[in-house]
Amino acid sequence: MGISRRDFCKTLAGSAASLAVMAVLPGSAVAAWSEKAFMADKLDDAIAAKYGALPIEDTSAIQIKAPEIAENGAFVPVTVSTTIPGVTNISIFVPVNFSPLVTSIDLFPRTKPDVSLRIRMAKTSNMVVIARAGNKLYRTVREVKVTIGGCGG
Amino acid sequence: MKIKAVVQNDTASVKVLVNHPMETGRAKDQNGAVIAAHYITEMTATFKGETVFHAELGPGVSKDPYISFQFSGARVGDTVKIDWIDNKGGSESMESAFAAM
């Protein structure tokens, strides 16, 4: 690993200024950054750190729009949407990345469960998307082939 | 940061593009030295004082993050505020008005 967990924590907590900035952001009241989940290097650990031991059910009600073959793993466009009612959080995982949790998105009553972004994939892998509704987790998996890996060596 | 906010019918669509290196902490420079991790950790959208979107990001998000999302209830002329913070304490905040689609 290029950066140890300890170093990371030091960087994060190092300056009082950064803490002050976090304190005034409205978002910090919603959920703090899930450090444990982002630092986990295995998919299962990342899921457990993010969601605890909630039961997971496979579903076809989550749509993952992504290229079948991504030429450049540094920029893989992905759109995730779901028809599951009451979804409050959607997370995207790439198990082969050194940090499998890519993003965890909180949804609110006004938010549509339809989000797009560009992510990195180290190599050909499944993309695992988990949506949380109430105390249940729903999972959809989709393979994306990657021609050139995107995690900078 | 660039924000494109449009409204069609009752659906507000927000596209955000941030200039950010999103360094993973694993890449090396020309001399072989590891480039320190530097990435956005949180992005929040606020509409009329209400949080309408919140994303936690990690190093798996591409350089110069592009994120789009939608929510209901906005009208042309309303504004949405986007804030982000990174793991080094960097941050940016910007407001954008909704245009008609």
Side-chain angles (χ1 to χ4, degrees), chain B residues 2-6 14-15 77-82 94-99:
Chain B
K2 282 183 194 163
I3 303 172
K4 192 177 177 196
V6 295
V14 183
K15 293 175 178 165
D78 288 346
T79 59
V80 62
K81 184 162 76 86
I82 307 289
M94 190 187 246
E95 248 178 279
S96 179
F98 283 98

Side-chain angles (χ1 to χ4, degrees), chain A residues 13-54:
Chain A
S15 79
S18 71
L19 290 177
V21 167
M22 286 177 204
V24 296
L25 267 181
S28 58
V30 178
W33 193 63
S34 311
E35 186 190 336
K36 257 191 176 172
F38 279 104
M39 291 299 111
D41 57 5
K42 288 194 180 68
L43 175 66
D44 291 348
D45 295 346
I47 293 173
K50 179 65 204 174
Y51 296 111
L54 294 177

Side-chain angles (χ1 to χ4, degrees), chain A residues 2 8 25 27 31 33-34 38 50 74-75 98 102-106 108 110-112 115-120, chain B residues 11 22 25-26 39 41-42 44 50 52 54 56-62 64 66-68 70-72 83 85:
Chain A
F8 181 83
L25 267 181
W33 193 63
S34 311
F38 279 104
K50 179 65 204 174
F75 295 93
F98 75 92
V102 174
T103 183
S104 181
I105 293 161
D106 293 317
F108 301 87
R110 284 175 184 275
T111 324
K112 309 239 161 164
V115 177
S116 304
L117 78 163
R118 295 185 302 211
I119 68 170
R120 290 180 168 128
Chain B
T11 302
M22 296 301 284
R26 288 170 65 89
Y39 51 87
T41 51
E42 287 184 72
T44 307
E50 185 186 328
V52 290
H54 175 248
E56 296 177 49
L57 311 178
V61 174
S62 304
D64 297 335
Y66 165 84
I67 295 174
S68 77
Q70 298 168 26
F71 65 93
S72 61
D83 292 275
I85 54 173

